[in-house]
Amino acid sequence: MATKKAVFVYSSELEKYSYPSEHPFNTIRARKTRKILNSMGLLSGGGRGELAPVPAERTVLKKFHSARYLHALKRASAGHWEAEALGMGIGTQDCPVFKGLYEYAVLATGATIVGARKILSGDVHVAFNPSGGYHHAGPEKASGFCYINDVALACMVLAEQAKRVLYLDVDVHHGDGVAYALYDRSDVMTISFHQNPRTLFPGTGLEDEIGEGEGKGYCVNVPLPVGTYDQAYMKAFEAIAVPLMKAYNPDVIVFELGADALAGDPLANLYLTNNTYAEIIHHLLSFETPILATGGGGYNMENTVRAWALAWSILAGADSHQELSHAVGGVMLESTEWQGGLYDRALAVTEQQRNAVEPAIEAVTRKIKKNIFPIHGL
Ligand SMILES: [Zn+2]
């Protein structure tokens, strides 16, 4: 990895915008991630660097979103309220109107798109946009804190250049906007691991949603029970995602790294530590395929920022850095103050939790193996 380039996509321009203060989505997370990484010296040297985003062009936005929707979003952003916008989800509690929301969404999307283009040009092996990952936005619908679907657009931009794209979504919520955007296509495989939609927004993403037409078998949903912990998650990941990724053999991976699956997230109920994200990233790197990573959800600020800083460190080949060592902090401190570096300490799992989680994950794994694996010759 040391000779391959990794770019962290960010600019202080993104700091000009914020959701209303009472809203759980905080645009500060990207800035804080950058600050930690910068202080650790992990944004330069060893083939690592930074890249400033440019706003996504209208021609790009229109690959997925309707002109009517983009117009309404722009009008709302400039302070013009129209009933039609509300019908498209703009101005709801989840997707409030705030000053400059259009400019923010277009710039944050542009950050993902410049990463995709850098990968296409062959200049970089890894790009990470912590301000991206708006996987719920629909063609004509703001949803789940998302206005413009940067990740669906990135998959489309990459696939247009005859790339086989693997979209992996580990945000705790189903990546519905991306999955349905590509539901009938086989040039992008979408795999979403998420909390069971019977217990969480957006209410879709059960294992029987597997794509249609040419896309049948190229949409993979892995719903997980409340309380899913590291070992159970990794067991599912290794049983489902790893063989499918090997069979699909992508040219590029788009990785939506929402951090709301971590234990302690105020909006969800899984029980992961960032050690799981680290393990997943090591799997992705083993494919030696370029990776376009984005942020996403993550509503416990401190956990989210640490998870993203850790993710970048590994993606950018700095994993051996001393500050990342969990062995040091893990045995050193008894206090509740965690100073073990970027890795979370392991969490204890109860017998009751195991008994509830394991059978549910085994059942889902069996169904996916039955319905999807044969399509890929597995
Ligand atoms: Zn989420």
Side-chain angles (χ1 to χ4, degrees), residues 135-136 171-173 256 258 260 296-299:
H135 61 167
H136 295 305
D171 189 284
V172 79
H173 301 96
E256 205 273 19
D260 41 11
Y299 306 100

Side-chain angles (χ1 to χ4, degrees), residues 328-369:
V328 179
V331 293
M332 201 169 66
L333 287 166
E334 291 291 317
S335 82
T336 53
E337 192 71 20
W338 181 239
Q339 295 177 31
L342 296 178
Y343 283 96
D344 291 337
R345 99 183 88 191
L347 293 172
V349 178
T350 65
E351 198 56 35
Q352 192 186 12
Q353 200 177 348
R354 272 183 215 285
N355 293 339
V357 167
E358 281 182 18
I361 288 191
E362 277 165 22
V364 161
T365 304
R366 260 198 314 275
K367 282 192 206 162
I368 292 171
K369 283 187 167 177

Side-chain angles (χ1 to χ4, degrees), residues 234-256:
M234 279 317 297
K235 203 172 160 192
F237 189 86
E238 281 164 9
I240 297 165
V242 172
L244 283 171
M245 284 161 61
K246 279 187 181 151
Y248 185 65
N249 192 23
D251 300 313
V252 57
I253 296 168
V254 177
F255 182 36
E256 205 273 19

Side-chain angles (χ1 to χ4, degrees), residues 113 116 150-160 163 165-167 178 182 185 187-190 254 292:
I113 300 300
D150 62 310
V151 264
L153 287 167
C155 289
M156 290 171 177
V157 165
L158 291 163
E160 263 175 18
K163 299 289 181 198
V165 181
L166 179 95
Y167 173 75
V178 185
L182 304 155
R185 291 171 62 161
D187 54 350
V188 184
M189 174 183 274
T190 64
V254 177
L292 172 62

Side-chain angles (χ1 to χ4, degrees), residues 9-355:
V9 191
Y10 183 76
S11 120
S12 58
E13 188 72 12
L14 288 157
E15 295 174 18
K16 285 199 209 156
Y17 310 99
S18 60
Y19 288 51
S21 57
E22 67 281 8
H23 195 281
F25 193 95
N26 201 328
T27 57
I28 296 297
R29 298 170 307 160
R31 185 180 81 196
K32 289 195 171 213
T33 305
R34 188 199 168 273
K35 194 175 168 196
I36 288 185
L37 290 169
N38 195 42
S39 70
M40 292 172 79
L42 294 178
L43 292 175
S44 58
R48 297 182 286 272
E50 293 190 73
L51 180 66
V54 290
E57 302 90 341
R58 191 174 163 78
T59 49
V60 170
L61 302 176
K62 284 187 74 181
K63 290 180 197 295
F64 181 56
H65 294 287
S66 73
R68 175 174 164 258
Y69 174 72
L70 293 171
H71 179 72
L73 201 57
K74 202 170 186 175
R75 293 272 300 162
S77 176
H80 304 285
W81 191 86
E82 277 147 28
E84 198 191 10
L86 196 58
M88 294 186 261
I90 304 163
T92 59
Q93 199 176 2
D94 271 6
C95 297
V97 170
F98 57 90
K99 193 166 183 287
L101 94 87
Y102 183 82
E103 287 72 20
Y104 173 74
V106 169
L107 187 59
T109 295
T112 302
I113 300 300
V114 295
R117 288 191 177 135
K118 275 282 175 195
I119 284 174
L120 282 173
S121 72
D123 289 349
V124 310
H125 191 72
V126 164
F128 178 40
N129 169 25
S131 305
Y134 300 95
H135 61 167
H136 295 305
E140 212 165 69
K141 184 97 184 156
S143 172
F145 318 161
C146 305
Y147 303 88
I148 293 179
N149 199 322
D150 62 310
V151 264
L153 287 167
C155 289
M156 290 171 177
V157 165
L158 291 163
E160 263 175 18
Q161 303 298 317
K163 299 289 181 198
R164 282 166 77 76
V165 181
L166 179 95
Y167 173 75
L168 174 66
D169 187 324
V170 298
D171 189 284
V172 79
H173 301 96
H174 175 221
D176 54 347
V178 185
Y180 299 139
L182 304 155
Y183 208 60
D184 59 356
R185 291 171 62 161
S186 60
D187 54 350
V188 184
M189 174 183 274
T190 64
I191 304 180
S192 178
F193 282 76
H194 44 262
Q195 184 173 324
N196 191 305
R198 291 196 177 94
T199 60
L200 196 69
F201 178 90
T204 54
L206 286 174
E207 67 276 12
D208 55 3
E209 292 187 42
I210 66 166
E212 64 188 14
E214 283 209 359
K216 192 177 173 188
Y218 291 84
C219 174
V220 184
N221 285 299
V222 189
L224 302 160
V226 165
T228 294
Y229 47 91
D230 288 333
Q231 296 87 340
Y233 191 108
M234 279 317 297
K235 203 172 160 192
F237 189 86
E238 281 164 9
I240 297 165
V242 172
L244 283 171
M245 284 161 61
K246 279 187 181 151
Y248 185 65
N249 192 23
D251 300 313
V252 57
I253 296 168
V254 177
F255 182 36
E256 205 273 19
L257 187 48
D260 41 11
L262 295 174
D265 190 275
L267 299 192
N269 315 93
L270 297 194
Y271 196 65
L272 303 184
T273 72
N274 64 22
N275 298 286
T276 285
Y277 290 168
E279 267 196 69
I280 289 171
I281 292 168
H282 283 296
H283 272 293
L284 299 185
L285 289 170
S286 74
F287 284 85
E288 299 194 346
T289 298
I291 300 169
L292 172 62
T294 70
Y299 306 100
N300 176 314
M301 171 88 78
E302 196 184 313
N303 288 350
T304 300
V305 166
R306 209 170 52 251
W308 288 350
L310 176 66
W312 163 261
S313 307
I314 302 171
L315 284 166
D319 193 27
S320 59
H321 206 275
Q322 204 188 345
E323 281 94 322
L324 303 184
S325 168
H326 54 322
V328 179
V331 293
M332 201 169 66
L333 287 166
E334 291 291 317
S335 82
T336 53
E337 192 71 20
W338 181 239
Q339 295 177 31
L342 296 178
Y343 283 96
D344 291 337
R345 99 183 88 191
L347 293 172
V349 178
T350 65
E351 198 56 35
Q352 192 186 12
Q353 200 177 348
R354 272 183 215 285
N355 293 339

